[in-house]
């Protein structure tokens, strides 16, 4: 059995967790233990680490998992089927277990550019969940992705919800959600999955709003998700990009820096309000995409009272 059952803890209270990514540079890797130790002040129930689709950063992913373990919390590794063979996946799972990593987020991953398949032995996350359960019994606790607005390539939201039920039937333990700023849609999705018989706990992925470019990029280039009125209003109020119809740059550099800082502050307040709403819905956990930044995350947790309010 997995060393710690996060789903058991979820029965008692809402969990708090973070997501990190393996830094690309040596310096980034050197700094990461410091970041993790700052995050540990908030006693996260787990910290997850992303996995580059195609397995390009597997070594760094495993190193980060060990840093998380050494810091004293549960590492949850993300894992995708992209370009992975069955044997290759088995070798990696064996290695994770040998290194004490027995929590996994089972994903398909994004189809590589210019390809029409995963270029691996499995097509979907449902296959991966089944493979892990069949091969390892309950030695892994398995999380799966859920998309409250529907995965960007899904046929319909109904089809996507049916896929989520299939993940549960194949042995998944809980859901980590894609970011969703549209709270009304999130509530509709909760109703839909419950109606479909999905009983897995829901751990909500929250991307802090800190940087305008990153926010727009995340919403539009990758996930096609809705920005609600409040978020659109913030982006509009602190708009930093040049007007394409204006030959003179609209702001001086110091004005732009001020706008960026004002947006960050407003974004933190927005993120806290979102967390309040998710918590009031009784979700099973808040999973903050920490983006390898501890100061902003600390500001959000302190101001939200997540660790002090009951
Ligand atoms: P699936 O659940 O397999 O779904 C993919 C599409 O296929 C959907 O449209 C679905 O409706 C459809 N589908 C699924 N199963 C079936 C089936 N059996 N029959 C027919 N249609 C089906 N990517 C990374 O590369 N690395 C990461 O570390 C990473 N971390 C993530 C963390 C979270 C919390 C989330 C939500 C996503 C993350 N991603 C990551 C992105 C993810 O890999 C992409 O969203 C990917 O495009 C889909 O993965 P999935 O597991 O949701 O796929």
């Amino acid at each position: 059995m997995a060393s710690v059952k996060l789903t058991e803890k979820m029965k008692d209270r809402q969990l708090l967790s973070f997501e990190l990514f393996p830094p690309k540079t040596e310096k980034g890797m050197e700094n990461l233990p410091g970041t993790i130790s700052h995050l540990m002040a908030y006693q996260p129930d787990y910290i997850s680490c992303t996995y580059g689709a195609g397995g390009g950063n597997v070594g760094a992913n495993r190193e980060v998992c060990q840093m998380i373990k050494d810091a004293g919390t549960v590492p949850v590794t993300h894992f995708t089927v992209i370009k992975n063979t069955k044997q290759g996946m088995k070798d990696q799972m064996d290695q994770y277990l040998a290194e004490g990593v027995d929590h996994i987020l089972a994903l398909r991953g994004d189809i590589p550019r210019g390809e029409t398949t995963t270029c691996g032995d499995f097509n979907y996350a449902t296959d991966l969940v089944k493979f892990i359960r069949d091969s390892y019994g309950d030695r892994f606790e398995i999380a799966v992705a859920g998309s409250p607005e529907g995965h960007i390539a899904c046929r319909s939201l109904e089809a996507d919800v049916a896929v989520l039920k299939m993940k549960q039937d194949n042995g998944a333990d809980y859901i980590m959600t894609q970011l969703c700023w549209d709270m009304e849609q999130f509530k509709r999705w909760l109703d839909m999955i419950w109606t479909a018989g999905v009983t897995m706990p829901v751990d909500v992925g929250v991307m802090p709003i800190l940087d305008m470019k990153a926010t727009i990029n995340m919403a539009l280039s990758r996930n096609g998700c809705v920005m609600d009125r409040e978020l659109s209003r913030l982006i509009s109020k602190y708009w930093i990009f040049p007007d394409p119809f204006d030959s003179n740059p609209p702001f001086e550099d110091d004005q732009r820096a001020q706008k960026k800082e004002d947006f960050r502050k407003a974004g933190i307040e927005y993120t806290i309000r979102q967390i309040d709403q998710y918590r009031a819905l009784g979700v099973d956990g808040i999973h903050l995409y920490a983006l390898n930044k501890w100061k902003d995350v600390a500001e959000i947790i302190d101001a939200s009272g997540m660790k002090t309010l009951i």
Side-chain angles (χ1 to χ4, degrees):
M1 190 151 57
S3 50
V4 175
K5 272 278 200 182
L6 295 169
T7 45
E8 282 301 315
K9 289 189 173 188
M10 287 174 189
K11 288 180 187 161
D12 294 334
R13 60 184 170 80
Q14 283 173 332
L15 304 193
L16 171 67
S17 60
F18 303 120
E19 178 173 312
L20 301 175
F21 59 85
K24 288 203 172 79
T25 61
E26 252 175 57
K27 181 139 182 51
M29 276 306 237
E30 274 166 26
N31 290 340
L32 199 57
T35 301
I36 296 173
S37 87
H38 282 292
L39 293 173
M40 285 302 290
Y42 296 98
Q43 298 173 309
D45 294 285
Y46 71 88
I47 299 181
S48 78
C49 176
T50 62
Y51 177 100
N57 66 352
V58 172
N61 158 287
R62 284 181 26 227
E63 235 180 280
V64 174
C65 286
Q66 288 313 304
M67 289 178 195
I68 295 167
K69 201 159 163 278
D70 292 346
T73 191
V74 176
V76 175
T77 184
H78 299 202
F79 191 88
T80 80
V81 304
I82 304 297
K83 295 187 182 167
N84 264 326
T85 61
K86 266 191 211 172
Q87 188 54 50
M89 287 188 267
K90 188 138 198 330
D91 293 345
Q92 291 175 72
M93 304 283 155
D94 288 345
Q95 187 130 33
Y96 280 126
L97 284 179
E99 291 172 355
V101 177
D102 52 11
H103 293 77
I104 194 161
L105 170 61
L107 299 157
R108 184 196 66 183
D110 290 325
I111 302 287
R113 258 177 226 285
E115 303 288 348
T116 51
T117 71
T118 60
C119 307
D121 284 351
F122 292 143
N123 291 322
Y124 299 112
T126 43
D127 306 326
L128 177 61
V129 173
K130 187 165 176 359
F131 175 73
I132 301 172
R133 265 300 164 250
D134 289 351
S135 314
Y136 296 96
D138 62 0
R139 292 181 69 195
F140 280 102
E141 190 168 35
I142 307 175
V144 286
S147 303
E149 296 174 86
H151 179 260
I152 188 154
C154 71
R155 196 165 55 243
S156 64
L157 189 54
E158 286 74 12
D160 215 38
V161 169
V163 164
L164 201 51
K165 176 65 167 53
M166 220 188 295
K167 290 180 181 178
Q168 175 174 292
D169 294 344
N170 286 357
D173 292 302
Y174 67 103
I175 302 167
M176 267 193 226
T177 68
Q178 186 55 271
L179 61 94
C180 175
W181 293 303
D182 181 348
M183 205 52 72
E184 292 311 310
Q185 175 56 29
F186 186 83
K187 291 179 200 165
R188 276 195 294 277
W189 175 76
L190 273 187
D191 281 341
M192 279 181 81
I193 66 168
W194 290 337
T195 305
V198 174
T199 53
M200 291 184 282
V202 177
D203 201 357
V204 179
V206 175
M207 192 187 99
I209 304 294
L210 302 170
D211 177 80
M212 191 178 290
K213 196 169 150 193
T215 304
I216 295 173
N217 184 34
M218 193 70 179
L220 300 184
S221 82
R222 303 183 50 151
N223 299 306
C225 42
V226 164
M227 284 190 255
D228 71 344
R229 178 71 214 277
E230 181 59 14
L231 182 53
S232 303
R233 203 182 59 78
L234 287 187
I235 290 176
S236 166
K237 182 170 174 188
Y238 299 108
W239 188 254
I240 49 169
F241 305 111
D243 177 347
F245 302 106
D246 186 353
S247 50
N248 299 311
F251 318 115
E252 300 299 333
D253 279 353
D254 56 341
Q255 278 179 302
R256 187 188 300 270
Q258 187 60 49
K259 273 177 176 272
K260 278 188 165 187
E261 179 53 17
D262 290 346
F263 179 77
R264 193 191 70 87
K265 282 197 188 126
I268 284 182
E269 281 172 22
Y270 173 88
T271 305
I272 291 168
R273 280 195 298 277
Q274 285 244 316
I275 291 172
D276 288 343
Q277 291 180 63
Y278 281 129
R279 294 182 76 208
L281 286 173
V283 299
D284 300 283
I286 299 290
H287 181 61
L288 269 175
Y289 301 165
L291 311 163
N292 295 6
K293 295 176 178 174
W294 66 268
K295 282 189 189 146
D296 297 311
V297 170
E299 210 174 318
I300 290 168
I301 300 177
D302 289 340
S304 72
M306 242 191 290
K307 274 288 171 184
T308 47
L309 281 179
I310 305 218

